[in-house]
Amino acid sequence: MERITRFCPNCWRELPDEAQEVCPTCGASLKEDVDFFSKLLRALWHPERSRAVLAATILGQLGDPRAVPVLIEAALHARDFGVQEAAVRSLGRLRDPQAIPALSVLLRMEVPLPVRLAAVEALGAFHDPRAREALREALNDPSEAVRRAARAAWETAALKEGSH
């Protein structure tokens, strides 16, 4: 029978089989009753990449604005670019204006191309002058792919503005 790996929901250290009530590393209770939303927020920092990506994706799908600050933090500081990308996509889906500065910063950071492309796409979802300015700046990005995506997002935003 395959052994199930368990992790502490506080420090994300692997738990020994005998740990039932308290994490031997950080002392956190393993018996706490935490709601699903809170578990998703914690899972953004899970050491297994796939779990963190899934948490970021689900948080965007839930549409709860309480996730925005934590998704911003993950977009800017997650160690895995897949987690960053998923957080950025969820921020675009949530369309909360408080995400615009972070998305703009990501376009100027040295982050992997998929993250920058996701930031362009997310900014394109906003009807906000700050998002338009970030897209305008991205028209001069060193990456041709980012420039093309920014141009497409810019043109789509212009068409939407023209139809109002």
Side-chain angles (χ1 to χ4, degrees):
M1 185 167 179
E2 193 173 321
R3 180 182 175 273
I4 295 175
T5 303
R6 296 183 320 142
F7 295 94
C8 171
N10 186 57
C11 69
W12 295 115
R13 300 281 187 192
E14 188 172 328
L15 294 169
D17 292 334
E18 62 274 5
Q20 299 299 319
E21 294 186 24
V22 177
C23 173
T25 303
C26 71
S29 171
L30 301 176
K31 294 287 187 186
E32 67 181 286
D33 186 26
V34 179
D35 65 81
F36 181 64
F37 183 79
S38 298
K39 287 180 182 180
L40 286 172
L41 293 177
R42 284 183 178 174
L44 281 173
W45 307 104
H46 198 286
E48 289 184 13
R49 172 187 196 258
S50 61
R51 291 182 185 227
V53 168
L54 183 60
T57 302
I58 293 171
L59 285 166
Q61 292 169 344
L62 289 176
D64 190 326
R66 295 178 298 163
V68 172
V70 181
L71 287 168
I72 289 171
E73 183 72 16
L76 293 172
H77 302 294
R79 292 184 179 172
D80 182 280
F81 83 87
V83 177
Q84 286 181 294
E85 181 183 358
V88 167
R89 291 191 184 287
S90 286
L91 289 169
R93 172 174 269 171
L94 292 170
R95 293 187 184 150
D96 188 309
Q98 68 177 312
I100 294 171
L103 295 170
S104 301
V105 165
L106 279 168
L107 285 177
R108 294 188 300 272
M109 290 174 61
E110 289 186 28
V111 294
L113 182 61
V115 177
R116 294 196 353 261
L117 289 171
V120 166
E121 185 179 314
L123 286 163
F126 289 93
H127 301 289
D128 186 296
R130 298 171 301 159
R132 295 263 299 154
E133 177 59 24
L135 290 172
R136 187 189 64 72
E137 290 176 16
L139 294 172
N140 297 314
D141 192 271
S143 166
E144 182 181 342
V146 172
R147 291 192 306 269
R148 276 196 314 256
R151 190 171 299 109
W154 178 271
E155 290 169 359
T156 300
L159 286 174
K160 286 179 185 174
E161 285 178 10
S163 67
H164 285 96

